[in-house]
Amino acid sequence: NQDKTKSGIALLYNEETNNTYDVCLKLTKEVLTIQKLDVVCTSGSESQVNVHLLRTAGDEVTITVRYLREVPSFLKLPLGSPGPDHSRVSSPLFDSGVHLNGNGNNTAPSPPSPSANEPKYEKRWLDAVSLPLLMARVSRYKAGKDKLRFNCFEVFALDGASTNILQFCTAAESTDWLQAISTNINDLTQENIVHMGWACECPEGSASGRPSAFKFLALRGPYFYIFRSPPISAADWGQAETTYNLYEVLFKVHKLWMAEDCWLQARLYLGLEHSPEQDTESLCFSILVGHGQSHTFRVELATDLAIWEKSFQRAVSLEVQRIQSKSYMCSSQGNVLCFTIDFASGFTCSESTSKTILWRYKFSQLKGSSDDGKTRVKLLFKNPESKQIEMKELEFANLTAVLHCIHSFIAAKVASMDPLFMCSQSFLGNYTNS
């Protein structure tokens, strides 16, 4: 999106060194990059080695200067510089802002044409800092103080890395950049962390002997997370108890309220009504995952349940629209095939080796399905020309994940055409209704 990108020049102030210098800011939807101006050796092998040594030498460098009878060509003044001799070659030091004003009456003879190995320099903006904006923050205040900086702010990444202090010429420019960065942070956070909160996990079956336990659940980016405790730092997100791909998970509400009480249901969804007294089962939802696994969670209020349902639908739709397609290996009549679900085109089945497409159908042409609960599924499609129903039987290693993925893609497709659509109905025949 063009509105999410921005570039410009700012000043970077380092409080430790008390130095300020120009930087180039490049803002994208996900990253803020700070570039510093540097002189780069573009040719001359020996000079490139010297530049590398200078870059890796540390904070202090000792340079020994020796007298040369003839001035090297790279110290010559550039064409058009002060002095009567306009035939001298261009100086990289002059190009970098260093002027060498020699005496015109005491000049060395012009050197021969530069050799191919003679160093050449260019000034370039080089990436110095790249800050991911997911869950980042901005601040106009001095650290640990309430003193407001004028025309300045800092950006802090989730892992604690920062930009140092960015300074701008005017308050309007500072506000413009602050608003643009904050907007991208908020949009990125809303896209990636759709919802998170506590729920009580109920063990499957009373005979399991396991007690109920509170878990912290999160819908973030492509995954559904289950934690024992909330993630505090960036590293904590990798310590989840369980993580599932969103598009391969099915969300199912057990029993929210009586179906005939539609007015109460609508008011609860809108948050206009307090939830009535309900039994334990009415406040539960299940997360159905591959190979028959499932988790059941209980919340405290009907409004909590409604929020989780809507948030899950939104998170799945965002993820489907992000990945656009998903392929699974399968078999049919002894042949190894590739089954692809594509957000734009629908269903495609092709040979795994030659990639030859065997058949293709749109989402709207899927009229039903049935499966054996193990590995095989029958998909019923309506041929647009003959108007006849065509059956395709496929076998998958993890049939549950494939069926959930089909459901996610169809629900996201319907939601994209009608944003008000609540994906509470099932699209697959026997499996999701069982």
Side-chain angles (χ1 to χ4, degrees):
N1 189 337
Q2 210 170 19
D3 297 334
K4 306 292 182 183
T5 62
K6 184 178 175 66
S7 61
I9 303 297
L11 287 173
L12 188 67
Y13 173 67
N14 191 317
E15 289 182 305
E16 295 179 0
T17 63
N18 203 31
N19 291 329
T20 303
Y21 47 90
D22 287 336
V23 292
C24 180
L25 301 182
K26 288 195 171 183
L27 177 66
T28 65
K29 178 181 177 181
E30 299 181 346
V31 177
L32 174 65
T33 302
I34 298 178
Q35 296 181 318
K36 296 180 181 179
L37 192 62
D38 206 347
V39 178
V40 179
C41 181
T42 58
S43 66
S45 58
E46 184 179 345
S47 296
Q48 289 179 2
V49 172
N50 293 337
V51 169
H52 175 72
L53 290 174
L54 287 173
R55 290 186 184 280
T56 58
D59 295 333
E60 295 185 5
V61 178
T62 301
I63 299 177
T64 303
V65 180
R66 291 186 299 171
Y67 171 75
L68 296 178
R69 188 173 299 276
E70 183 177 344
V71 179
S73 61
F74 68 84
L75 291 179
K76 299 295 182 181
L77 293 176
L79 197 66
S81 61
D85 186 358
H86 289 197
S87 63
R88 298 164 184 157
V89 295
S90 177
S91 163
L93 297 179
F94 182 87
D95 289 344
S96 302
V98 179
H99 295 249
L100 302 174
N101 295 315
N103 188 335
N105 297 327
N106 227 346
T107 58
S110 298
S113 300
S115 65
N117 197 41
E118 186 172 338
K120 294 181 181 179
Y121 298 86
E122 287 184 8
K123 289 186 294 183
R124 292 181 181 175
W125 290 105
L126 301 180
D127 291 355
V129 178
S130 291
L131 289 180
L133 297 179
L134 178 61
M135 299 184 72
R137 65 182 176 89
V138 292
S139 176
R140 293 182 294 166
Y141 292 86
K142 288 188 175 181
K145 300 179 181 179
D146 291 331
K147 187 174 181 181
L148 182 67
R149 296 190 182 101
F150 293 99
N151 303 350
C152 302
F153 61 83
E154 289 182 81
V155 183
F156 297 87
L158 180 61
D159 61 1
S162 71
T163 57
N164 284 324
I165 301 170
L166 297 172
Q167 297 182 340
F168 298 87
C169 296
T170 64
E173 189 178 6
S174 176
T175 301
D176 186 46
W177 270 99
L178 183 66
Q179 183 64 55
I181 294 172
S182 296
T183 298
N184 283 17
I185 290 174
N186 293 334
D187 290 349
L188 196 61
T189 301
Q190 289 180 19
E191 286 182 12
N192 282 268
I193 303 179
V194 176
H195 188 58
M196 54 186 177
W198 288 98
C200 183
E201 184 171 15
C202 307
E204 291 294 321
S206 57
S208 65
R210 292 191 299 110
S212 299
F214 278 94
K215 300 295 175 68
F216 192 83
L217 314 180
L219 295 167
R220 180 196 179 196
Y223 305 113
F224 173 71
Y225 295 84
I226 302 176
F227 293 93
R228 283 190 171 90
S229 58
I232 304 300
S233 66
D236 291 342
W237 286 96
Q239 305 301 316
E241 182 181 294
T242 312
T243 304
Y244 297 111
N245 289 320
L246 267 175
Y247 56 83
E248 292 182 342
V249 176
L250 188 67
F251 181 96
K252 183 179 180 182
V253 174
H254 285 205
K255 183 180 66 177
L256 182 53
W257 36 62
M258 297 301 291
E260 59 269 17
D261 198 351
C262 298
W263 178 245
L264 175 60
Q265 180 175 342
R267 290 183 64 81
L268 285 169
Y269 261 94
L270 297 172
L272 302 176
E273 189 89 36
H274 296 294
S275 58
E277 291 294 327
Q278 295 166 324
D279 56 59
T280 303
E281 177 73 8
S282 66
L283 296 175
C284 290
F285 64 88
S286 288
I287 301 297
L288 309 178
V289 294
H291 292 297
Q293 297 172 291
S294 67
H295 298 268
T296 300
F297 299 98
R298 184 183 70 245
V299 293
E300 301 298 319
L301 300 169
T303 48
D304 293 338
L305 194 58
I307 289 172
W308 273 112
E309 185 179 22
K310 289 188 289 184
S311 298
F312 204 95
Q313 292 157 6
R314 179 170 179 265
V316 170
S317 292
L318 287 171
E319 178 57 13
V320 167
Q321 292 182 52
R322 185 187 71 84
I323 64 173
Q324 288 293 307
S325 68
K326 175 63 180 175
S327 296
Y328 295 92
M329 299 304 295
C330 64
S331 62
S332 178
Q333 298 179 345
N335 298 317
V336 179
L337 307 175
C338 180
F339 178 72
T340 300
I341 311 162
D342 187 272
F343 185 71
S345 59
F347 305 99
T348 302
C349 194
S350 59
E351 294 182 354
S352 60
T353 53
S354 65
K355 308 299 181 184
T356 302
I357 296 177
L358 302 177
W359 49 263
R360 175 181 284 139
Y361 295 96
K362 297 179 180 179
F363 288 120
S364 60
Q365 292 175 258
L366 178 63
K367 298 305 177 183
S369 69
S370 62
D371 62 86
D372 63 359
K374 298 177 182 178
T375 61
R376 295 185 180 183
V377 63
K378 295 180 180 179
L379 300 174
L380 305 177
F381 298 101
K382 185 175 182 179
N383 188 305
E385 297 177 358
S386 66
K387 308 301 180 182
Q388 299 297 312
I389 297 297
E390 300 175 348
M391 187 269 290
K392 303 297 181 182
E393 185 173 353
L394 303 172
E395 189 170 354
F396 296 89
N398 188 351
L399 177 61
T400 305
V402 177
L403 294 175
H404 289 173
C405 187
I406 294 175
H407 180 276
S408 296
F409 270 74
I410 294 179
K413 190 70 174 180
V414 174
S416 69
M417 295 184 289
D418 182 7
L420 299 179
F421 177 77
M422 299 301 296
C423 311
S424 57
Q425 58 181 304
S426 296
F427 292 91
L428 299 173
N430 296 350
Y431 175 76
T432 53
N433 290 327
S434 61

